[in-house]
Amino acid sequence: MIDAVRTLPVEQLTPDQAAVEIAALTEAVAYHDQRYHQEDRPEIPDAEYDRLRQRLGTLEACFPELRRPDSPTGRVGATPAAGFRKLRHAVPMLSLGNAFEAADVHEFVARVRRFLNLDAGEPLDFVAEPKIDGLSLSLRYEGGELIQGTTRGDGSEGEDVTANVRTIADIPKRLTGPAPAVLEVRGEVYMRRVDFLALNRRQLEAGKQPFANPRNGAAGSLRQLDATVTAGRPLRFFGYALGEVSESLGERHRTVRSRLADLGFMLNEPAQLCDGAEALLAYYAELDRLRSTLPYDIDGAVYKVDRLDLRHRLGFVSRAPRWAVAHKFAAEQARTKLLAVAIQVGRTGALTPVAHLEPVNVGGVIVSRATLHNEDEIARKDVRPGDTVVVQRAGDVIPQVVEVVLDERPDGTAPFVFPELCPECGSQAVREPGEVVRRCTGGLICPAQAVERLRHFVSRDALDVDGLGDKIIQAFFQEGLVRRPGDLFRLADADKTADTPLHGRHGWGPKSAQNLFEAIEARRQVPLDRFIYALGIRQVGQATARLLARTYASLSNLRTAMAAGQDRDSQAYQDLVAIDQVGPALADNMLAFFAEPHNQAVLDDLASEMTVADFASPTAVRASPLADKIIVFTGTLSRQSRQEAKARAEALGAKVTGSVSAKTDYLVAGADPGSKVTKAEELGVSVLSEDEWLTMVGGT
Ligand code: IVH
């Protein structure tokens, strides 16, 4: 293909020669576009590709009548770029906690009131809005001009889709009316149902795959490397939140909404001000009735505290705000046939039964797998292969088998017998007393566990290695290229030697191998909290990993403490269980993980390949007088809830523990404090009143 580029100067060509070359180049460029954009498998270096395109462009300029209608040169952004550029969000883009039932909504309102320490009579307003089933987007305006559009990504970092966003008619390129110098508007990109159906008809006519639902249609259309493709797609946008702003748009959400409308944004209606759980539930019932009359899909309602100052106090837990919740509509259900029950072995050895189903459309999504939860659930529902079952899905939750339609049970079925041996490695699979889960005892001997641990290690919230999908990990593992995490870092070295493991094998060009090595190389240094999370210790999620990172500060401290903590009478053990939210079960999992020789070998091996950066609190926190101080709260606080006080302390870099020891820096004592004050005084720990505490942290 490359020899399609001739060296003869264009002006010396006859039209016939030019026509032949244009035809060859048009085909060659289209071919490489396909490898690059659709398959992520380029076959030639970027410079080579550029040369082809350039020559084609010159030929077309000299012989415009010979330009072919299918010429790739007219396409915007078809030049190879390494996917989308990553952009960091100035303010993280969060997700929402879910409510499913009325009780969850009452609990949400009660939780907010408790946190804010509101008396029964004090008013608290919420704004209820439809929850749009699309994908969230952040738009940045500077001086009133749209300068950036970014997808949510992992919440901290998204993809730069500015060129695509500019093609969406609902999105103002310039704000109407006076606007803050910096304004980030967040909202949802979506597609109307009729537009979605028409798009799918066009896809089918063009011999392309149709989209499963409007949400996928919107996501697929926005994430096009070629913005002219996006331009042809019927995308729309609603604004519903703010990111970074240089100047306030108002003190309440409803004011912000009307300012957004003034600035040129479409709003998701109907929105309603509600003064409590009952009003929210009435809104929800009404929205459910309206649902089918709306021209786009919604999957529930979102309830948000109206006052922005209260939101500020409420803050966040992990990745969701305390001040908002998504109330999802009831699950969609459908009937289908259960073909087989497969047993999956997870990262921690848990055996999970998975239903393989005859594919069925459940509320717009084709479902062919569903979870059966565990052994007891299968027995309780008496699910048998061959049965007709009811499956349901709610929002992004994994589809599940709800029940068997007994009337339709065929003859000759037998109850499902749950295996007592791991189907992957043959080790005993045991159920600890009181546990619902049966676990394989094979540890890293079990290939399924080893593979799952590797997957987890490189997953987005862990080391976040781009380009190492599930299938690739599985293949690398099976071929013995990567058996444990440290092997990843040796992959590139191995590739440099004569018998190249990657380069040249099916699906891997020099470019894609190089991209992978670079992605791995970029992770030779990671922050301690990510590293702890990446280890995949049972019960250690992101929040716990951060807590542990903050407590132990460095990997070597953590390892030393876990070694010492094996003795349950040691101070190290006491310190571990004293960490707020670390109970004995979690402590046992931690200690068991670090005591296991396989795991120690994995850690030693990793230590020789990568650096784990000590935990660095954000700059603001480091400067705070409370940074690294150990604080205990006791008694009843009157101006803040215990939870708010604790959240505040943690936000300022302090550690909050449950009991007073010689290491405690401050005991904050509310009314009726009890014995902790005596203990603190004995140990010489400073005791603060609630007022003194508030002065220290700058009031409420
Ligand atoms: S507010 C801090 N309002 O739902 C949270 N989100 O499940 C800001 N969504 O990621 C989001 N409609 O993509 C908000 N009216 C609405 C929404 C909405 C849809 C999406 C959004 C978010 C997801 C969370």
Side-chain angles (χ1 to χ4, degrees):
M1 289 268 180
I2 310 262
D3 58 3
V5 182
R6 307 274 159 75
T7 40
L8 219 53
V10 170
E11 54 282 8
Q12 291 178 14
L13 294 175
T14 66
D16 280 355
Q17 286 174 319
V20 171
E21 206 184 322
I22 285 177
L25 281 170
T26 302
E27 213 181 295
V29 172
Y31 173 84
H32 291 297
D33 274 348
Q34 170 80 15
R35 297 284 94 61
Y36 193 95
H37 294 295
Q38 262 74 48
E39 298 166 20
D40 226 0
R41 271 194 304 131
E43 291 178 358
I44 55 172
D46 293 358
E48 201 97 62
Y49 171 89
D50 287 345
R51 229 156 44 83
L52 293 175
R53 255 184 93 95
Q54 221 163 34
R55 173 81 175 179
L56 179 59
T58 317
L59 282 162
E60 288 175 344
C62 291
F63 301 95
E65 70 286 359
L66 296 180
R67 183 170 193 274
R68 295 164 41 126
D70 59 344
S71 169
T73 55
R75 280 186 233 138
V76 182
T79 337
F84 291 102
R85 191 163 61 116
K86 291 260 169 87
L87 289 175
R88 186 151 278 279
H89 297 297
V91 176
M93 285 182 84
L94 303 153
S95 53
L96 293 170
N98 288 327
F100 294 99
E101 290 164 23
D104 301 336
V105 176
H106 280 283
E107 171 51 27
F108 163 69
V109 173
R111 206 162 52 226
V112 171
R113 297 192 71 98
R114 245 188 341 260
F115 189 97
L116 295 171
N117 218 10
L118 296 182
D119 287 336
E122 281 180 83
L124 176 66
D125 285 335
F126 296 88
V127 174
E129 299 170 358
K131 183 170 184 315
I132 313 300
D133 200 5
L135 64 149
S136 46
L137 184 70
S138 183
L139 301 169
R140 187 175 176 91
Y141 292 84
E142 288 183 9
E145 300 281 348
L146 173 65
I147 62 146
Q148 220 162 59
T150 317
T151 61
R152 177 170 180 273
D154 65 359
S156 319
E157 218 178 52
E159 287 177 324
D160 180 356
V161 288
T162 312
N164 309 53
V165 155
R166 285 189 197 284
T167 69
I168 301 176
D170 274 356
I171 294 180
K173 313 309 165 269
R174 162 149 261 296
L175 299 172
T176 52
V182 175
L183 174 69
E184 280 183 11
V185 176
R186 274 135 191 216
E188 204 84 353
V189 175
Y190 69 98
M191 210 177 261
R192 290 185 171 205
R193 272 192 295 272
V194 281
D195 292 336
F196 161 73
L197 293 173
L199 170 64
N200 264 358
R201 271 197 301 276
R202 291 202 299 275
Q203 291 283 107
L204 284 171
E205 278 161 18
K208 296 188 186 144
Q209 277 287 326
F211 293 103
N213 53 44
R215 210 200 86 80
N216 288 359
S221 300
L222 183 68
R223 293 188 72 259
Q224 286 285 335
L225 286 170
D226 180 351
T228 57
V229 176
T230 309
R233 301 283 173 81
L235 293 177
R236 293 170 186 262
F237 181 81
F238 283 130
Y240 52 61
L242 299 178
E244 188 183 356
V245 282
S246 57
E247 187 187 318
S248 154
L249 285 193
E251 290 174 0
R252 290 170 180 272
H253 183 58
R254 56 186 126 139
T255 340
V256 170
R257 277 178 63 94
S258 69
R259 284 293 311 275
L260 284 178
D262 294 344
L263 291 169
F265 292 94
M266 309 299 286
L267 303 182
N268 46 342
E269 300 285 3
Q272 193 171 305
L273 197 66
C274 297
D275 63 4
E278 288 306 332
L280 292 171
L281 291 170
Y283 169 86
Y284 178 83
E286 180 57 23
L287 189 65
D288 203 3
R289 265 195 297 281
L290 279 177
R291 186 177 182 187
S292 59
T293 68
L294 292 175
Y296 41 83
D297 285 353
I298 61 174
D299 56 348
V302 182
Y303 308 145
K304 307 172 179 182
V305 169
D306 189 34
R307 270 175 54 184
L308 304 190
D309 60 326
L310 297 183
R311 286 193 189 182
H312 183 73
R313 280 177 56 195
L314 284 156
F316 307 92
V317 232
S318 276
R319 291 173 166 238
R322 284 197 189 85
W323 45 262
V325 76
H327 188 183
K328 298 288 189 73
F329 287 133
E332 313 253 16
Q333 295 193 336
R335 285 181 175 199
T336 190
K337 193 161 160 191
L338 176 71
L339 303 175
V341 177
I343 303 288
Q344 267 178 10
V345 184
R347 194 182 82 224
T348 58
L351 267 50
T352 308
V354 178
H356 287 208
L357 306 164
E358 211 156 76
V360 60
N361 187 326
V362 191
V365 170
I366 306 296
V367 171
S368 56
R369 300 278 151 95
T371 177
L372 284 162
H373 301 289
N374 55 51
E375 184 171 356
D376 291 353
E377 280 294 299
I378 297 190
R380 192 176 65 75
K381 293 173 185 156
D382 187 18
V383 177
R384 306 176 180 193
D387 271 340
T388 295
V389 292
V390 176
V391 284
Q392 77 171 23
R393 49 174 282 275
D396 354 325
V397 182
I398 304 170
Q400 44 187 293
V401 172
V402 187
E403 61 185 2
V404 172
V405 185
L406 282 176
D407 289 349
E408 294 186 22
R409 171 167 286 170
D411 292 336
T413 61
F416 181 77
V417 182
F418 206 89
E420 292 184 1
L421 296 180
C422 170
E424 298 283 344
C425 70
S427 303
Q428 287 289 333
V430 298
R431 249 178 102 166
E432 299 291 340
E435 280 246 5
V436 288
V437 176
R438 190 173 281 277
R439 280 177 208 279
C440 161
T441 53
L444 286 177
I445 303 296
C446 174
Q449 287 188 57
V451 169
E452 288 308 317
R453 282 232 229 157
L454 282 168
R455 278 191 188 145
H456 178 78
F457 189 74
V458 300
S459 65
R460 194 159 80 173
D461 295 326
L463 253 66
D464 189 22
V465 180
D466 262 353
L468 261 186
D470 287 0
K471 291 216 177 77
I472 298 180
I473 288 277
Q474 180 84 44
F476 283 3
F477 184 85
Q478 269 167 4
E479 294 168 37
L481 276 177
V482 179
R483 288 283 163 149
R484 49 186 190 168
D487 293 341
L488 287 168
F489 296 102
R490 291 182 285 267
L491 210 50
D493 284 342
D495 197 60
K496 287 189 199 110
T497 65
D499 54 339
T500 54
L502 261 196
H503 193 130
R505 64 171 54 210
H506 181 68
W508 288 91
K511 166 107 183 164
S512 43
Q514 193 52 38
N515 284 347
L516 177 64
F517 299 150
E518 280 169 17
I520 294 172
E521 205 50 42
R523 296 295 182 263
R524 274 202 201 261
Q525 172 152 11
V526 296
L528 180 60
D529 53 336
R530 269 188 188 261
F531 184 82
I532 296 176
Y533 174 73
L535 293 176
I537 304 166
R538 246 167 93 187
Q539 290 185 346
V540 179
Q542 283 178 281
T544 309
R546 257 196 302 277
L547 206 63
L548 291 164
R550 189 195 293 169
T551 307
Y552 292 101
S554 73
L555 180 58
S556 65
N557 280 353
L558 175 66
R559 291 189 72 179
T560 313
M562 293 306 108
Q566 301 295 329
D567 170 5
R568 300 299 198 264
D569 295 326
S570 64
Q571 185 61 41
Y573 181 79
Q574 289 308 319
D575 290 346
L576 177 61
V577 288
I579 301 172
D580 203 49
Q581 292 159 30
V582 175
L586 179 62
D588 282 350
N589 286 335
M590 287 290 292
L591 293 167
F593 181 92
F594 284 90
E596 163 67 50
H598 280 305
N599 293 334
Q600 289 176 359
V602 163
L603 286 168
D604 292 340
D605 181 42
L606 280 171
S608 67
E609 294 293 342
M610 65 185 296
T611 320
V612 178
D614 291 353
F615 184 77
S617 27
T619 347
V621 171
R622 244 176 283 146
S624 135
L626 286 182
D628 301 325
K629 294 279 185 273
I630 298 179
I631 299 184
V632 177
F633 290 96
T634 186
T636 313
L637 303 179
S638 62
R639 290 173 54 192
Q640 272 185 327
S641 64
R642 174 82 70 90
Q643 206 190 355
E644 182 173 7
K646 184 171 154 243
R648 187 64 167 272
E650 285 174 349
L652 290 168
K655 292 172 211 161
V656 178
T657 66
S659 59
V660 175
S661 76
K663 290 191 181 164
T664 309
D665 291 291
Y666 301 108
L667 174 70
V668 180
D672 308 320
S675 66
K676 285 190 181 149
V677 174
T678 328
K679 177 139 188 224
E681 282 165 357
E682 279 168 17
L683 292 166
V685 170
S686 314
V687 181
L688 303 177
S689 69
E690 183 176 2
D691 286 347
E692 285 168 329
W693 160 251
L694 285 172
T695 313
M696 187 176 216
V697 299
T700 47

